[in-house]
């Protein structure tokens, strides 16, 4: 999940009374610099800061230092040429 999606998911999770578990994977330092955010993760707990919105921004100057390069998901082909889930 991107920091934007994580913040939105965290706020949604907090609004659901029977919410269970939110998966979380730390972002790289580069990602955190491009998408500064106010939520925190410590001791196994995700916590939003007290703001009325998900509070994630984009630092366009930092983002411009990471040019877009097109990438594709791998395709798994069997010996007979048919495609298969990778």
């Amino acid at each position: 999940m991107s920091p934007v999606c994580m913040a939105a998911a965290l706020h949604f999770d907090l609004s659901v009374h029977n919410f269970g578990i939110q998966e979380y994977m730390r972002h790289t330092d580069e990602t955190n610099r491009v998408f500064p955010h106010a939520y925190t993760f410590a001791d196994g707990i995700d916590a939003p800061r007290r703001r009325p919105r998900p509070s994630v921004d984009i630092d366009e100057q930092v983002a411009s230092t990471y040019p877009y390069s097109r990438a594709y998901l791998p395709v798994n082909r069997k010996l007979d040429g048919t495609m298969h889930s990778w």
Side-chain angles (χ1 to χ4, degrees), residues 69-84:
S69 69
R70 193 170 192 160
Y72 296 93
L73 291 173
V75 175
N76 186 12
R77 292 199 177 266
K78 293 184 171 186
L79 294 176
D80 65 1
T82 59
M83 294 174 64
H84 190 269

Side-chain angles (χ1 to χ4, degrees), residues 17-44:
H17 74 279
N18 62 345
F19 172 75
I21 296 173
Q22 173 64 57
E23 293 180 358
Y24 177 78
M25 190 167 110
R26 293 189 188 278
H27 297 102
T28 63
D29 291 336
E30 293 86 359
T31 301
N32 287 331
R33 281 195 296 273
V34 172
F35 297 101
H37 53 273
Y39 63 83
T40 60
F41 180 80
D43 300 323

Side-chain angles (χ1 to χ4, degrees), residues 7-66:
L10 179 58
H11 280 260
F12 174 77
D13 299 343
L14 292 171
S15 71
V16 176
H17 74 279
N18 62 345
F19 172 75
I21 296 173
Q22 173 64 57
E23 293 180 358
Y24 177 78
M25 190 167 110
R26 293 189 188 278
H27 297 102
T28 63
D29 291 336
E30 293 86 359
T31 301
N32 287 331
R33 281 195 296 273
V34 172
F35 297 101
H37 53 273
Y39 63 83
T40 60
F41 180 80
D43 300 323
I45 298 172
D46 271 332
R49 297 290 169 99
R50 294 188 180 265
R51 293 188 184 174
R53 57 186 172 80
S55 61
V56 176
D57 293 316
I58 181 169
D59 187 328
E60 292 185 19
Q61 269 190 324
V62 175
S64 69
T65 64
Y66 299 99

